Amino acid sequence: MEKKKTAKSVRKNIQELIDVQGYDRENNCYRMKDGSYMNIIQITSKDLVNSSDDEVEYDCLRFARLYKLYAEDIKIITMNFPCDTTEQQYYIEHKMQKQANPVYKNFLQRKLDELVWLGKHDTTREYYYMIFAKDTEEMEKNTLLLMNTLGRGKTGLLMYLPEEKKRQILFRLANKCSMMN
């Protein structure tokens, strides 16, 4: 009997698997290979335990209103990022250098050790909307609908992301096992 030789499948590289063609800086969104557009907007987290019941219910109603009004494709992304405490560490180190009181210096050292531990062992959970559109006008319309419904700023539930953060999110989506700061 003659064994049949099967053709080995060729593994695709990441550029063939991901549909992102490039970043459109003019419109602050990603251009896809098929000509459509995609954007990522962060959902700001709130402390639901310490919030009033009325505030939580109001936020739920805002989300319900969004899902009634928004007819286009939308994806919710949840990610864990390492907790970044470098700014606080620099500040405490700066205060320790200027401090002459040994008791207060010891207190600052404990705080610094705690921040270092948090940076190594704790993660921050973040939530994002990934929205899609056929062209830039539709992307602008979808983004405005999201922002007007959920709001941004101090009482809002959404926040625009810089290009670098969007790139980190896409990298983490494509490389699930990677840890990055």
Side-chain angles (χ1 to χ4, degrees), residues 15-169:
Q15 288 180 336
E16 294 172 359
L17 294 175
I18 294 181
D19 290 337
V20 175
Q21 183 177 7
Y23 190 76
D24 185 0
R25 284 189 173 81
E26 184 179 325
N27 298 306
N28 295 324
C29 60
Y30 284 97
R31 193 174 48 258
M32 308 304 271
K33 287 181 182 174
D34 63 356
S36 63
Y37 289 85
M38 182 265 301
N39 198 5
I40 302 172
I41 299 173
Q42 184 168 357
I43 304 170
T44 55
S45 301
K46 286 189 169 184
D47 183 8
L48 297 177
V49 174
N50 294 323
S51 297
S52 69
D53 291 340
D54 293 337
E55 187 178 353
V56 172
E57 186 174 347
Y58 179 66
D59 289 342
C60 288
L61 290 173
R62 286 166 57 179
F63 278 113
R65 181 171 181 243
L66 171 74
Y67 297 134
K68 285 181 182 178
L69 294 174
Y70 195 87
E72 304 299 323
D73 291 338
I74 192 166
K75 181 176 184 159
I76 298 174
I77 302 170
T78 305
M79 290 191 150
N80 288 333
F81 282 99
C83 190
D84 185 20
T85 60
T86 52
E87 240 179 270
Q88 293 93 336
Q89 290 177 29
Y90 290 141
Y91 179 75
I92 289 179
E93 287 171 354
H94 169 73
K95 286 294 189 182
M96 283 176 63
Q97 290 172 357
K98 292 187 173 190
Q99 191 54 244
N101 185 348
V103 174
Y104 191 65
K105 212 171 199 177
N106 187 23
F107 170 76
L108 288 174
Q109 183 60 47
R110 279 190 285 157
K111 279 291 186 191
L112 181 63
D113 293 341
E114 182 179 319
L115 287 172
V116 169
W117 187 90
L118 283 173
K120 289 180 182 176
H121 298 95
D122 197 22
T123 59
T124 303
R125 180 161 291 169
E126 296 180 359
Y127 303 92
Y128 308 96
Y129 278 130
M130 186 180 281
I131 59 174
F132 305 92
K134 294 179 182 108
D135 54 22
T136 56
E137 290 83 22
E138 187 178 326
M139 178 59 73
E140 187 176 332
K141 183 187 90 169
N142 292 346
T143 305
L144 282 174
L145 177 64
L146 276 168
M147 291 300 173
N148 290 337
T149 307
L150 296 179
R152 41 179 264 234
K154 186 176 181 181
T155 59
L157 298 171
L158 297 179
M159 183 170 81
Y160 286 117
L161 291 173
E163 179 184 353
E164 181 60 34
K165 183 72 172 183
K166 291 178 187 179
R167 187 177 294 125
Q168 286 180 354
I169 293 166

